[in-house]
Amino acid sequence: MAAPPDPAVLYPDVAARGSLATALRAEAGGCLGAVPVTSPDSAPLLHATVAGTLPYREPLQVSAWTHERRWSVRGADRFQGLPLVDGRTDDLAEVARAARAWHDGAALEDIRRAAPFVHLSGRFEVPDNDPARLTESEWRGMLQEASELEYAWQEAYQALIEAAYAEPALRALYPFTSHWALRFSTTTRPGLTFMGPCLTAGSDGTYGVGRGFVTPDLGLFTTAREAVALAVRRLPAGLGPVALGG
């Protein structure tokens, strides 16, 4: 890939104002008011951070693309650092509207209404860090992600996630992926505790169960339901409710 152009070439208007934070304020038409918006000294034209008022949200991260003129946003929860909203647009005024809604503590759906480019990850907010709710939120995010993938193996992967979620014994565990292999934990992020086997979906429509995510050494199946059934049988007995990790 060719080296990216100087950011001042892609973003002359931002360069003229000295930083993305200052340009974002200028595009906001006053809607950011006294909202804290900052850019790092190391890359002031490419990044900005917008502080929020809710203690369980991380500041909104705004990043400029390096090979074409566009901006991305990412808003995460503070406890796990997982995205609740993201999105990309070539309209900096839209970014400003999203930033204001995030700062004000607007509901996730209301942020998208204020700035339609915003994409919701499927996770929901859990202000009290209840581990059962964090587990359900992560399943919801994983189900949505599986439905939105654009890979050739998307259909098989979605079938695997849905089959695992439909099984109460697995749904009670905290799900996570490693190299697109589905794994389970008895604790939430940020401190995962691996538990049980690993499930994979192949591009050929087969489903593997293994002790690691590289080799399906416990079995290879033609349906997600069969793979999930074996994973359930391989779970240790007496598992308690998911606990907070970290």
Side-chain angles (χ1 to χ4, degrees), residues 1-165:
M1 181 180 289
D6 188 314
V9 174
L10 277 180
Y11 305 99
D13 49 339
V14 177
R17 297 187 181 277
S19 72
L20 179 54
T22 305
L24 190 58
R25 283 191 180 282
E27 285 290 331
C31 82
L32 288 178
V35 174
V37 185
T38 59
S39 287
D41 293 338
S42 58
L45 305 187
L46 296 178
H47 300 286
T49 299
V50 183
T53 56
L54 296 180
Y56 48 85
R57 285 183 183 175
E58 291 280 7
L60 186 74
Q61 303 297 321
V62 182
S63 300
W65 291 25
T66 57
H67 284 86
E68 62 178 285
R69 184 183 170 88
R70 188 167 294 187
W71 294 274
S72 296
V73 300
R74 183 182 189 273
D77 80 291
R78 189 175 295 277
F79 182 69
Q80 298 187 107
L82 296 173
L84 300 166
V85 302
D86 54 31
R88 56 191 183 184
T89 180
D90 58 5
D91 185 344
L92 195 56
E94 255 202 325
V95 174
R97 289 192 290 274
R100 180 71 209 211
W102 179 265
H103 169 269
D104 289 350
L108 301 180
E109 288 284 356
D110 290 340
I111 296 172
R112 181 165 63 179
R113 277 190 278 271
F117 81 94
V118 168
H119 167 262
L120 305 185
S121 70
R123 298 183 181 93
F124 52 82
E125 295 187 283
V126 186
D128 63 355
N129 294 332
D130 175 72
R133 294 278 290 162
L134 288 173
T135 297
E136 177 62 17
S137 173
E138 192 57 21
W139 273 113
R140 294 291 177 179
M142 192 168 289
L143 287 163
Q144 179 168 313
E145 179 187 51
S147 72
E148 295 174 344
L149 290 174
E150 297 181 352
Y151 298 114
W153 39 266
Q154 180 274 331
E155 187 174 340
Y157 181 77
Q158 182 177 1
L160 176 64
I161 301 300
E162 290 177 348
Y165 181 72

Side-chain angles (χ1 to χ4, degrees), residues 173-176 183-196 236 239 242-246:
L173 296 172
Y174 186 92
F176 68 100
R183 307 195 72 175
F184 307 96
S185 172
T186 54
T187 54
T188 69
R189 288 183 176 89
L192 297 172
T193 305
F194 303 166
M195 180 58 59
L239 292 177
V242 170
L244 284 181

Side-chain angles (χ1 to χ4, degrees), residues 193-241:
T193 305
F194 303 166
M195 180 58 59
C198 175
L199 292 160
T200 56
S203 58
D204 59 356
T206 60
Y207 300 88
V209 185
R211 283 168 285 199
F213 63 83
V214 176
T215 304
D217 58 321
L218 298 177
L220 196 62
F221 302 92
T222 57
T223 69
R225 183 175 297 180
E226 291 174 295
V228 164
L230 176 58
V232 171
R233 293 196 298 271
R234 299 284 302 198
L235 288 177
L239 292 177

